[in-house]
Amino acid sequence: CGFIAIVGRPNVGKSTLLNRILGQKISITSKKAQTTRHRILGIHTEGKYQAIYVDTPGLHIEEKRAINRLMNRAASSTIGDVDLIIFLTDGTHWTDDDEMVLNKLRQVKTPVVLAVNKVDNIKNKDELLPFLTEMSQKFPFKDIVPISAQKGKNIDILEKIVRESLRKGIHHYP
Ligand code: GDP
C-alpha cells in the first residue's frame, strides 16, 4: 500500500486526473475522510496493489501572509510524508506558480514523477520534446510522462510508473 500525492498549481487538471485514475478501477472513494496528515481522496485497489491518493492543500499559495506561510508549511510536511508525488503541470503553460511548487518539491526527499498534462491541447507537437528535456534538467524526476487526463491518453503508462515506483521504493511493500 502506498500514499501518493498529486500536486500542482490550480487548473492543471489534478481533479480530472484523479477521477480518471479512480474512475476506471475504483473500489472506495471517500472525499471527506480525514487523517491527521492527509485528506484521503480515493483508494485504488487492484489485487494486492493498493494506492491511496491524498490531497495536499495550500501548496501553491503565496507566502506574504502568515496564515499562508502556515498552510504552506503544512503542505510541505505532507509532501515529505507520502511515498510518491505526482507533480502535474499543464504542457501548454509553465508559470511562476509551477516554479514555486517545484521549489517546494526540492525541499523534500520524496520521489517525484512529472506528468505533463493537456498534451491534447498542444498544437505544435514539436514543442513537447524540448519542454520535456528542459524539465528533466530542472529536477531529478523519477520519470516524466506526457498525458491527457481528459482524453485518457497515457494514463495507463502513468499508473504503471506509479505502481512500479511503489513496489521498488517502499520498504514496507513486499
Ligand atoms: P485542478 O484545479 O488542478 O484540479 O484542475 P481541474 O481538474 O479542475 O481541470 C481544470 C480544467 O482543465 C478543466 O476545465 C478541465 O476540463 C481541463 N482539463 C483537465 N485535463 C485536461 C486535459 O488533459 N486536456 C484538456 N484539454 N483539458 C483538460
Side-chain angles (χ1 to χ4, degrees):
C1 167
F3 281 82
I4 300 143
I6 299 179
V7 306
R9 64 174 168 84
N11 228 34
V12 291
K14 295 183 296 296
S15 317
T16 309
L17 175 63
L18 191 67
N19 286 338
R20 177 63 72 176
I21 291 172
L22 299 176
Q24 290 169 348
K25 298 145 193 162
I26 189 162
S27 69
I28 312 163
T29 49
S30 91
K31 282 214 163 87
K32 284 185 188 140
Q34 300 279 337
T35 68
T36 47
R37 292 163 304 187
H38 316 293
R39 190 161 63 115
I40 296 177
L41 295 178
I43 302 176
H44 172 179
T45 311
E46 223 186 305
K48 272 187 172 172
Y49 166 79
Q50 190 176 56
I52 298 175
Y53 285 84
V54 299
D55 194 11
T56 311
L59 194 68
H60 57 275
I61 55 181
E62 48 89 15
E63 299 214 330
K64 286 201 190 91
R65 294 172 59 201
I67 178 75
N68 291 355
R69 280 197 294 275
L70 271 174
M71 280 183 69
N72 269 330
R73 213 174 302 156
S76 298
S77 75
T78 300
I79 58 171
D81 211 27
V82 294
D83 300 303
L84 184 73
I85 294 166
I86 297 175
F87 173 36
L88 195 63
T89 62
D90 177 337
T92 63
H93 303 94
W94 178 264
T95 73
D96 288 349
D97 283 341
D98 290 298
E99 206 67 56
M100 226 177 111
V101 176
L102 199 57
N103 279 332
K104 295 277 178 234
L105 301 182
R106 289 194 173 98
Q107 291 162 21
V108 296
K109 292 198 177 115
T110 313
V112 183
V113 171
L114 173 67
V116 178
N117 193 27
K118 308 195 187 183
V119 289
D120 59 290
N121 238 356
I122 299 176
K123 288 190 186 78
N124 185 358
K125 298 282 187 240
D126 292 344
E127 287 169 8
L128 187 58
L129 193 59
F131 178 69
L132 299 182
T133 308
E134 194 191 325
M135 288 297 119
S136 71
Q137 288 158 356
K138 260 184 194 289
F139 187 91
F141 293 109
K142 213 169 157 31
D143 236 313
I144 298 181
V145 53
I147 65 167
S148 170
Q150 199 175 62
K151 307 268 187 236
K153 189 177 156 56
N154 286 354
I155 303 301
D156 50 343
I157 294 174
L158 178 62
E159 285 185 64
K160 197 169 166 231
I161 290 167
V162 167
R163 190 175 319 196
E164 278 169 12
S165 308
L166 292 181
R167 194 169 291 147
K168 281 186 208 145
I170 301 170
H171 56 277
H172 57 259
Y173 193 85

